[in-house]
Amino acid sequence: AVAATLASGRGALVVVPDGRTAARVDAALTRALGGAGRHVLLTADLGPEERYRRWLAVSRGSVRAVVGTRAAMFAPVRDLGLVGIWDDGDQSHSDDHAPQPHARDVLLLRAVHEKTGFLLGDLGRTVEAAQLVENGWARPLEADREQVRAAAPLIRTVDEGEVARDAEARAARLPTLAWQTVREALNRGPVLVQVPRRGYVPRLACERCREPARCRHCAGPLEARDADRLACGWCGRAETAWHCAECGGGRLRASIVGARRTAEELGRAFPAVPVRTSGRDHVLDTVPDRPSLVVSTPGAEPVAEGGYAAALLLDGWALLGRPDLRAGEDALRRWLEAAALVRGQEDGGLVVVTAEPTQRPVQALVRWDPAGYAARELAERSQLGFPPVSRMAAVAGPGEAVAELIASAPLPEGTETLGPVPLPPTPPGRPRRPGDPPPGAQWERALLRVPPGQGRALAAAVKEAKALRLARGDKDPTVRVDPLDIG
């Protein structure tokens, strides 16, 4: 699409979620466009001087194609003819700094105002993308079912009940089906193992009563960062003599197992096979096409030369069980990203997912039907009045300040106020994300919801109320229109 746009004499802009993806697209564009100099790569890794030099080249029109991460959405491409975005469901596309734009929304506005083509690509489909198709603004570009069946691996499911009944699975954390899949696939190539959490044992509980293990100093969750060391996940203090406050028990069990612990267990189960890990601290780009086990957290999966022979998607309940409106959508997107790295069914590719088979995201994965899943999610949200059908503004801060801002805002007729409800306190020692309360502070959050067509009026109302508070020196409440996370 970029090559065709350049051939027509117009410019092109593509935004991707991270530097690894940008590097792959950059290499593909270099091959497709016939050498360097026809496009530029804009990422934070370049450093300010080089990034500004390339920005000037784009602004002056000497380069008419750009691929980059989130900030590239504002690149001043001359005579723009195409804007594209890959994986719009990735949270890295949303800027945490005011006015907190989302790359998809910015590119949609540019497509309308600059009269360009708009291309959205993804292995899954977000509800926002489904809405664009539903209202006729966009049209789907999809392979037919025969092509999908030929390219996609075979998906098999294992529910948690089967794992609990399987003594072999309890000992090695692999149900029999997963064990057999790994053993057979290692004869043909590398095997990918996706684990939702990094670390060793990120969460622990009492073995006797299942009460979560907490720190005696700050009540934070205890974690096993290594095989023989306990520490608090909030304050970082070491724990050497833990006992359950409920039953007095002194033994712990893992309620969540991390990627490092999984790699250790697999290494013992398959001692002759090399085990590699890929996560936030060390991300692998590629792995060779020979037998190995690759344990990765979601989003850090390396590409295997020739594709993986099989993949295990462990602890699906951890992704599906998050108290978030987008939990199912995000879980399906993460699974599809991992499964797409596996060889096709005709080449023996197999994916095993440990999650309840009746869950809708699991069924969408088995059928490889993200579009159908997104359309059904959109229909349900339409009935319930959830975004993206409705427009929302989140107001967070001390309870009194939130109430004052809402009371002073000239809200449009029909605005519905949801809450306020208490926000979880920010754990001591953990980096504070935008919108989180300061450590030790008790904040509340209220959601203001309006019907379609009133989003502009809602944004103007909360902006006016916020400006009045700032003029008086009151700075507590934070406001975000169309928040990604509404619980």
Side-chain angles (χ1 to χ4, degrees):
V2 171
T5 304
L6 293 177
S8 71
R10 302 187 69 180
L13 168 62
V14 177
V15 178
V16 296
D18 54 63
R20 293 171 62 221
T21 308
R24 294 179 62 194
V25 177
D26 176 49
L29 279 177
T30 300
R31 293 191 299 268
L33 301 179
R38 301 286 305 279
H39 74 283
V40 294
L41 176 68
L42 293 178
T43 64
D45 296 337
L46 296 172
E49 292 184 6
E50 179 60 26
R51 190 164 65 249
Y52 186 56
R53 186 179 297 111
R54 297 185 183 190
W55 188 275
L56 288 178
V58 175
S59 179
R60 293 165 180 161
S62 57
V63 178
R64 305 183 71 177
V66 174
V67 57
T69 48
R70 183 180 64 219
M73 61 185 169
F74 297 116
V77 179
R78 290 282 187 92
D79 194 18
L80 191 61
L82 173 72
V83 293
I85 182 171
W86 176 261
D87 196 5
D88 65 310
D90 194 299
Q91 288 198 354
S92 62
H93 281 305
S94 180
D95 198 333
D96 290 330
H97 300 90
Q100 299 171 322
H102 193 288
R104 177 189 57 241
D105 299 333
V106 171
L107 295 181
L108 282 168
L109 288 171
R110 293 192 68 173
V112 172
H113 290 295
E114 301 183 49
K115 296 180 173 55
T116 77
F118 176 84
L119 183 62
L120 188 154
D122 199 352
L123 291 170
R125 181 173 294 180
T126 61
V127 177
E128 287 79 7
Q131 187 183 38
L132 294 176
V133 175
E134 178 75 18
N135 61 26
W137 195 93
R139 294 184 179 181
L141 299 174
E142 301 170 334
D144 59 45
R145 295 305 301 175
E146 292 300 323
Q147 287 180 299
V148 171
R149 292 191 191 98
L154 176 65
I155 311 292
R156 299 190 64 181
T157 61
V158 179
D159 63 26
E160 294 302 314
E162 182 176 340
V163 174
R165 292 189 299 268
D166 192 339
E168 189 174 322
R170 288 199 301 271
R173 195 160 164 256
L174 288 178
T176 301
L177 174 61
W179 179 277
Q180 294 173 347
T181 299
V182 172
R183 187 171 53 193
E184 295 171 2
L186 285 173
N187 295 322
R188 297 180 281 110
V191 175
L192 175 66
V193 182
Q194 186 193 74
V195 183
R197 305 291 175 88
R198 64 187 181 92
Y200 196 78
V201 182
R203 291 294 182 269
L204 293 164
C206 175
E207 186 182 58
R208 185 187 300 172
C209 69
R210 303 298 192 263
E211 181 71 15
R214 297 198 173 275
C215 175
R216 290 180 291 175
H217 300 280
C218 70
L222 289 182
E223 301 177 352
R225 298 180 178 176
D226 293 302
D228 56 356
R229 186 167 66 95
L230 289 179
C232 176
W234 289 1
C235 68
R237 298 192 186 191
E239 178 59 72
T240 57
W242 176 86
H243 284 85
C244 179
E246 293 294 323
C247 69
R251 300 189 64 176
L252 291 163
R253 69 184 294 272
S255 56
I256 296 176
V257 178
R260 282 200 296 129
R261 172 66 179 273
T262 303
E264 182 181 294
E265 292 182 350
L266 289 171
R268 289 198 299 265
F270 301 94
V273 179
V275 180
R276 297 179 173 89
T277 59
S278 181
R280 188 180 71 176
D281 299 329
H282 177 63
V283 178
L284 299 175
D285 290 328
T286 60
V287 293
D289 185 16
R290 56 175 178 264
S292 64
L293 286 163
V294 181
V295 182
S296 171
T297 51
E301 299 91 351
V303 177
E305 301 171 3
Y308 289 99
L312 304 183
L313 310 178
L314 299 181
D315 301 339
W317 57 269
L319 292 174
L320 294 175
R322 292 190 304 113
D324 187 270
L325 183 65
R326 298 178 181 271
E329 177 184 299
D330 288 342
L332 178 58
R333 181 173 62 85
R334 295 296 193 185
W335 291 338
L336 289 169
E337 288 175 353
L341 300 175
V342 180
R343 301 165 188 170
Q345 185 172 343
E346 295 180 352
D347 297 323
L350 177 63
V351 175
V352 176
V353 54
T354 57
E356 177 57 47
T358 59
Q359 292 275 359
R360 192 184 304 165
V362 180
Q363 288 298 309
L365 175 65
V366 172
R367 298 191 304 271
W368 207 280
D369 184 25
Y373 175 84
R376 187 167 178 181
E377 277 284 299
L378 178 63
E380 289 193 354
R381 293 193 195 180
S382 299
Q383 295 175 357
L384 300 173
F386 285 148
V389 178
S390 64
R391 305 300 298 274
M392 277 189 175
V395 183
E400 184 178 347
V402 170
E404 288 177 358
L405 186 143
I406 294 175
S408 63
L411 298 174
E413 185 178 353
T415 302
E416 183 180 3
T417 302
L418 308 177
V421 296
L423 282 177
T426 301
R430 181 173 296 179
R432 181 187 174 196
R433 298 177 302 176
D436 285 350
Q442 298 293 326
W443 274 19
E444 296 181 353
R445 184 181 72 168
L447 297 174
L448 305 176
R449 179 167 64 182
V450 296
Q454 299 220 12
R456 182 188 295 270
L458 174 64
V462 294
K463 178 182 178 181
E464 180 179 335
K466 179 73 173 176
L468 289 174
R469 289 187 60 84
L470 289 174
R472 297 197 304 262
D474 303 328
K475 301 181 180 179
D476 280 325
T478 63
V479 178
R480 177 155 191 177
V481 178
D482 293 337
L484 288 178
D485 179 13
I486 65 172

